[in-house]
Amino acid sequence: MNETFDPSFKIVFHDYGGHAFTAHIAREMARRGARTHYMSFGSFATPKGKVEGRGGDPDQFSAEELSISAPFDKDNLVRRRQQQIEYARVAAAKVLEQRPDIVFSSNSPLEVQQHLMRACRSIGAKFVFWVQDIHSEAIGQILGRKNAMLGRMAGAYYRALERRLLKQSDGIIVISEAFRDLLGSWGVNSSDMTVIENWAPLEDIPVLPRENDWALEHMRKDRVRIVYSGTMARKHNPDMLLHLARNLDVDVHLFSQGVNADYVKRSAAEQGLDNVFVQGWVPVDDLPSMLAGADILYAVIEKEAGVFSVPSKVLSYLASGRPILASIPADNLSSRKIANAEAGLVSEPDDVEALLADARTLLADPERRRQMGLDGRRYAETEFDIGAIGDRFVTIIEETGALPSQPAGMQKQAALSA
């Protein structure tokens, strides 16, 4: 394979949460010849991708999980912000140590983005803001539940900060056209934005048999299984899982951690629901077996979060070859993906009766479930091509001007020849 980059060129990928797809593209850039360092927040409680170095990694790839001085307090908003700023300083210091030519930073609080951008400016590196959520919208809504005035004030402050950081970035990646439209209304130049939808690493999620060893150990063999896997935060309604368990003759499995997972476990016990099983996040290497053990995979996101958040678990669900049941706003990108792939049934997040009707439709038709799973995997194989995605990132790097001038005979090869 012809290399895209001169081996002296260096990229830092930073992902606060440590998601599978960001580590995936970092390894792809290393395979194309760039020295690539991947950084994530090891103390942030969320399901992780392959965020550590592994056997078989490209020689040019390295990775590390950064830490702070105390366990991260996700639920105390004041303490959380203080620790985010502490982490921001740690991450910025690491950028100064690495001295890359360009930094891609994703899934990060705005204070972290601000510190990383300053670090890039001090060493002449380019900074690409990879927009996964509209943070100011989320902050305003979350705080607004506690105090309407506080929500408006915080939303306005962070909206101004987010707008300024976006305008000062050397490049912007957004994960949907809806994000491009919203940021354009803020005065952010649309020509600075590239739409790259998220994906799941296909080689990390092979289609496996339902009765694999992991599933047989952790799930009841003779029961139909509805599975929810991943983060269950403020934007996810845990009661929907309880509705499924109360009204259907199925086992409902929740693989998650935190306040909402504890709530589901406690509520199921109080209501005498012996068909609800709550376990922690599974290691990334066990994820394919867990997903394969499902008959139906469930996703939910609140209506108010539909504008600023796209549940990445849906992408893993598509890759797993299992049908999807979802409570997601119709205008959310994930809802459209499920519909385009013909991979499941989607209803509005506050419509319990529609959810139960969709679930009963799937439960009554095993062949339809099988076909939806096949269609979802086929869609993933078409849309999640890391070679094509890698070409998009190379183009962004070129457009930022991060690539140095090279002497004759050392020019980078065109991305499409890689």
Side-chain angles (χ1 to χ4, degrees):
M1 181 180 72
N2 291 327
E3 291 186 341
T4 302
F5 299 102
D6 182 280
S8 66
F9 187 74
K10 188 165 191 177
I11 306 172
V12 163
F13 280 91
H14 170 260
D15 181 350
Y16 188 78
H19 293 75
F21 62 92
T22 56
H24 194 211
I25 190 60
R27 287 179 167 90
E28 173 65 13
M29 293 296 99
R31 278 191 288 271
R32 293 176 181 234
R35 289 185 299 147
T36 306
H37 189 70
Y38 182 83
M39 309 186 321
S40 61
F41 186 9
S43 302
F44 187 71
T46 191
K48 305 287 187 181
K50 293 182 178 178
V51 297
E52 77 285 359
R54 292 178 166 234
D57 280 341
D59 292 340
Q60 295 279 69
F61 178 81
S62 60
E64 64 180 316
E65 296 182 82
L66 306 180
S67 61
I68 55 176
S69 59
F72 186 66
D73 191 343
K74 192 174 183 179
D75 298 313
N76 183 316
L77 295 179
V78 174
R79 176 66 173 151
R80 176 174 179 160
R81 183 175 184 274
Q82 293 171 340
Q83 291 185 308
Q84 286 172 345
I85 293 173
E86 179 186 356
Y87 174 81
R89 293 174 179 140
V90 171
K94 185 60 63 173
V95 167
L96 295 177
E97 175 188 310
Q98 289 290 321
R99 301 192 69 81
D101 296 286
I102 189 169
V103 172
F104 290 86
S105 186
S106 177
N107 294 298
S108 298
L110 295 176
E111 291 88 355
V112 176
Q113 298 292 69
Q114 186 177 39
H115 279 71
L116 292 179
M117 181 182 289
R118 287 173 180 168
C120 288
R121 294 290 181 264
S122 72
I123 59 175
K126 302 299 183 180
F127 180 83
V128 177
F129 196 133
W130 191 350
V131 181
Q132 297 288 329
D133 295 305
I134 307 298
H135 286 277
S136 56
E137 295 290 326
I139 292 168
Q141 290 180 15
I142 290 169
L143 293 179
R145 295 175 189 170
K146 301 178 182 293
N147 183 293
M149 182 175 292
L150 179 62
R152 287 193 297 272
M153 292 174 60
Y157 169 80
Y158 278 104
R159 193 171 301 113
L161 174 60
E162 195 162 20
R163 182 187 297 116
R164 184 170 69 252
L165 292 173
L166 287 162
K167 287 185 173 182
Q168 292 174 351
S169 296
D170 298 293
I172 302 168
I173 300 173
V174 294
I175 61 174
S176 76
E177 289 288 348
F179 283 18
R180 189 210 289 267
D181 294 342
L182 175 59
L183 299 184
S185 72
W186 288 5
V188 180
N189 191 339
S190 61
S191 65
D192 294 334
M193 294 182 248
T194 301
V195 178
I196 301 180
E197 296 180 1
N198 289 347
W199 69 96
L202 289 175
E203 61 266 36
D204 294 346
I205 310 178
V207 179
L208 299 176
R210 179 183 188 270
E211 301 304 339
N212 59 77
D213 290 343
W214 191 96
L216 290 173
E217 180 180 351
H218 294 89
M219 301 172 173
R220 295 196 289 186
K221 182 178 181 180
D222 58 346
R223 298 280 292 170
V224 175
R225 308 160 185 160
I226 297 179
V227 172
Y228 180 104
S229 170
T231 302
M232 178 157 275
R234 292 179 178 87
K235 58 193 176 186
H236 307 110
N237 183 357
D239 284 311
M240 302 302 271
L241 290 169
L242 297 170
H243 287 306
L244 291 170
R246 274 196 301 270
N247 290 281
L248 302 173
D249 184 22
V250 299
D251 281 354
V252 175
H253 290 268
L254 170 60
F255 294 93
S256 190
Q257 295 171 201
V259 173
N260 275 347
D262 294 341
Y263 168 80
V264 170
K265 187 173 184 178
R266 182 176 65 254
S267 297
E270 291 171 352
Q271 297 172 35
L273 298 173
D274 61 359
N275 59 336
V276 176
F277 302 88
V278 180
Q279 302 178 58
W281 295 312
V282 300
V284 63
D285 292 322
D286 292 331
L287 179 66
S289 298
M290 181 268 286
L291 295 175
D295 295 291
I296 298 170
L297 291 165
Y298 180 61
V300 59
I301 191 165
E302 295 273 36
K303 184 182 292 291
E304 64 188 24
V307 173
F308 62 80
S309 183
V310 178
S312 60
K313 64 177 61 64
V314 169
L315 308 174
S316 297
Y317 288 1
L318 289 166
S320 73
R322 294 295 182 269
I324 300 170
L325 176 69
S327 302
I328 300 175
D331 59 355
N332 185 274
L333 178 59
S334 291
S335 179
R336 298 197 298 275
K337 281 183 177 292
I338 295 169
N340 291 340
E342 299 183 345
L345 299 178
V346 183
S347 58
E348 289 294 322
D350 55 358
D351 194 337
V352 176
E353 292 306 315
L355 168 66
L356 294 175
D358 285 347
R360 292 186 178 110
T361 296
L362 294 177
L363 292 170
D365 194 342
E367 176 56 28
R368 187 176 183 186
R369 297 202 307 267
R370 186 191 71 83
Q371 188 59 52
M372 284 179 167
L374 291 174
D375 289 342
R377 177 68 186 195
R378 187 177 300 112
Y379 177 89
E381 289 174 349
T382 301
E383 297 295 322
F384 302 166
D385 176 4
I386 191 59
I389 294 167
D391 293 343
R392 306 284 303 282
F393 276 81
V394 172
T395 298
I396 293 168
I397 292 169
E398 292 175 339
E399 291 175 346
T400 64
L403 288 166
S405 299
Q406 297 172 2
M410 290 294 292
Q411 293 90 352
K412 65 179 182 61
Q413 301 295 318
L416 294 176
S417 70

